[in-house]
Amino acid sequence: MLAGPVFAVLLCAALCGAESQIFRNAGFESPLGPDNWSCSGCTGLQYGDDKVEGDYSMEAQGRRADWAGPTYLLTYGTDVISGQTYDFQIYVKLLADGSNQHEIKAVVSATFSDGEKVYQKISSPTFISQNDGWFKLTARATVPVFTA
Ligand SMILES: *[C@@H]1O[C@H](CO)[C@@H](O)[C@H](O)[C@H]1NC(C)=O
């Protein structure tokens, strides 16, 4: 759900310090995988050398496109509830390119039962550079209400 320039980014515990936590493996304390944080179009690794809180952050390396980045699959009706609004706090750090600014985005992609896929950017325009260090990206998304 995070996109940015094509090189490694570090991600720290989405919802760091929040009251409730909808993510499994939010602090990346166990291996990354398909049922929690994973990397889409990149390789995700637990990273112990630098983080905002907890023991680990997630490193996204080998990014193959500018949309590639950490991703998490949320299931409608269990992980997220219809009509509910969620606030996300995501710490991001770029690992290369010095003072050059790059856009980072949080994106929600919704897949419908007929296979249709819709992408929605949920963060406001944000540009950061490696020199900025850790940056807190905030985003908000409301889960649509569907009626049969
Ligand atoms: C995350 O996913 C991996 C691979 O499926 C699994 O080994 C690990 O236990 C999961 N961690 C949590 C906290 O769900």
Side-chain angles (χ1 to χ4, degrees), residues 123-144:
S123 51
S124 41
T126 305
F127 292 82
I128 64 169
S129 73
Q130 181 187 17
N131 294 354
D132 293 330
W134 285 106
F135 181 88
K136 182 163 101 175
L137 182 70
T138 57
R140 169 172 286 188
T142 299
V143 180

Side-chain angles (χ1 to χ4, degrees), residues 1-6 39-42 63-70 105 107:
M1 80 182 234
L2 244 162
V6 184
C39 226
S40 181
C42 51
R63 298 180 60 238
R64 294 188 284 283
D66 65 2
W67 50 261
K105 318 173 187 180
V107 175

Side-chain angles (χ1 to χ4, degrees), residues 24-26 29-37 72:
R24 290 177 292 281
N25 205 13
E29 56 286 326
S30 82
L32 311 177
D35 62 353
N36 53 67
W37 282 103
Y72 193 105

Side-chain angles (χ1 to χ4, degrees), residues 88-144:
F88 301 94
Q89 297 172 36
I90 305 159
Y91 287 88
V92 189
K93 178 176 180 165
L94 302 185
L95 295 177
D97 216 20
S99 62
N100 290 325
Q101 303 272 315
H102 296 274
E103 186 174 16
I104 53 166
K105 318 173 187 180
V107 175
V108 168
S109 127
T111 305
F112 296 89
S113 49
D114 65 0
E116 190 193 348
K117 215 165 189 182
V118 176
Y119 293 88
Q120 187 197 353
K121 185 175 138 183
I122 58 168
S123 51
S124 41
T126 305
F127 292 82
I128 64 169
S129 73
Q130 181 187 17
N131 294 354
D132 293 330
W134 285 106
F135 181 88
K136 182 163 101 175
L137 182 70
T138 57
R140 169 172 286 188
T142 299
V143 180

